[in-house]
Amino acid sequence: MKTAFLGLGTMGAPMARNLLAGGADLTVWNRSQPALDSLREAGANTADSPEAAVANADVVFSMLADDAVSEQVVVDSGALAAMKPGAIHVNMATVSVPFAKRMATLHAEHDVTYVAAPVMGRADVAAAAKLNILAAGDTQAIDTATPLLETMGQKVWPVGESAEMANVVKIQVNFMLAVAIESMGEACALGEVYGIETGKFLDIVTNTLFACLGYQSYAGLIRESKYKPANMPVTLGNKDVGLALSAANDRQVPLPLGGVVRDSLNEIIANGDGDKDWGALAEYAAKRARIDRSRDA
């Protein structure tokens, strides 16, 4: 089975490497040459354009930043039109619900099956092939892609036959994570003004009531005040919270905490720190309490 991978960024590059490690016959494309050179050295075929990368592929994977970039790379470039009839395109990016619906329709018009498979996990998790992968779309297509997905993750979670359902779940997850980081940051600030050392507080809560991966991983960033290099830049986190608010608005679902976190993320971006990890929500919660825990990263 021939495969292709579009987008070799912070997440895409290690995912493509794991496909190679699993024995995939892989052709890759990326805008920047260094990422392509690195994957070529690892054994991948490389292409000069998205269209050339996907032309002979049975399964195409893409991991791109957002709706606009996905549209440009997959549709505007001619890649979708170049996919052979019966091919499967697995979009692993976090995109909006309307975009996922439109992409599914557009792919069907080209006799290509569209599967949404956004991932849960940061770059280090991707490198370790420990991602949790959400999957929605045609059941047979998901079954075909699953052995390949399993080389990139520890578990594939089918969530429905309409592609956008996977994107809804991913939006839910990222919304919860954003709220968790904001709440941790605010709680730490509250304790610190009363003399409670932040590291000690985080050790307590992440080993008792909040002893889970989401809290524990971001507690480490907050404890060290180390937000660069970013696994999840504030700008992308802001995009994902915006997706949650947009999806909620479409169905008249109140998300009051969403507005709070969006404002916090916008504050960070307005202060020139949009390239920091969104764990910096905690840094700004401290700043509002007139505490400065920031360090040069």
Side-chain angles (χ1 to χ4, degrees), residues 96-177:
S96 71
V97 174
F99 182 78
K101 289 181 178 180
R102 189 169 68 81
M103 289 292 275
T105 299
L106 191 58
H107 280 61
E109 292 172 359
H110 287 80
D111 196 19
V112 173
T113 303
Y114 181 79
V115 171
V119 304
M120 294 188 291
R122 303 191 306 183
D124 54 343
V125 179
K130 295 295 184 182
L131 295 168
N132 279 282
I133 301 174
L134 307 165
D138 179 80
T139 301
Q140 185 175 346
I142 292 173
D143 289 344
T144 299
T146 290
L148 294 165
L149 293 171
E150 287 176 340
T151 69
M152 295 184 277
Q154 61 180 319
K155 187 173 177 62
V156 178
W157 299 85
V159 296
E161 295 187 3
S162 297
E164 72 273 7
M165 295 175 75
N167 298 112
V168 172
V169 175
K170 179 60 189 299
I171 289 167
Q172 291 174 272
V173 169
N174 279 11
F175 171 69
M176 290 181 66
L177 191 53

Side-chain angles (χ1 to χ4, degrees), residues 15-140:
M15 293 163 68
R17 285 182 178 276
N18 286 327
L19 279 173
L20 281 174
D25 180 354
L26 182 65
T27 300
V28 298
W29 173 86
N30 192 61
R31 283 176 171 169
S32 63
Q33 192 63 38
L36 279 176
D37 293 341
S38 179
L39 264 293
R40 183 189 295 112
E41 291 171 4
N45 303 306
T46 60
D48 294 332
S49 67
E51 182 179 3
V54 306
N56 296 311
D58 301 295
V59 181
V60 176
F61 296 95
S62 61
M63 187 59 163
L64 301 159
D66 53 27
D67 292 15
V69 176
S70 297
E71 178 94 21
Q72 183 178 24
V73 171
V74 176
V75 181
D76 296 345
S77 72
L80 176 56
M83 293 182 199
K84 62 185 184 182
I88 300 167
H89 173 209
V90 183
N91 184 359
M92 307 190 77
T94 301
V95 297
S96 71
V97 174
F99 182 78
K101 289 181 178 180
R102 189 169 68 81
M103 289 292 275
T105 299
L106 191 58
H107 280 61
E109 292 172 359
H110 287 80
D111 196 19
V112 173
T113 303
Y114 181 79
V115 171
V119 304
M120 294 188 291
R122 303 191 306 183
D124 54 343
V125 179
K130 295 295 184 182
L131 295 168
N132 279 282
I133 301 174
L134 307 165
D138 179 80
T139 301
Q140 185 175 346

Side-chain angles (χ1 to χ4, degrees), residues 277-291:
D277 193 279
W278 68 343
L281 282 165
E283 178 184 326
Y284 274 74
K287 285 182 177 181
R288 290 184 214 110
R290 297 174 297 282
I291 301 165

Side-chain angles (χ1 to χ4, degrees), residues 41 87 137 159-160 171 186-187 192-193 209 226-227 263 267 276:
E41 291 171 4
V159 296
I171 289 167
E186 292 185 18
E192 196 158 336
V193 299
L209 294 177
K226 185 173 175 61
Y227 305 113
D263 288 348
E267 178 186 4
K276 288 187 175 182

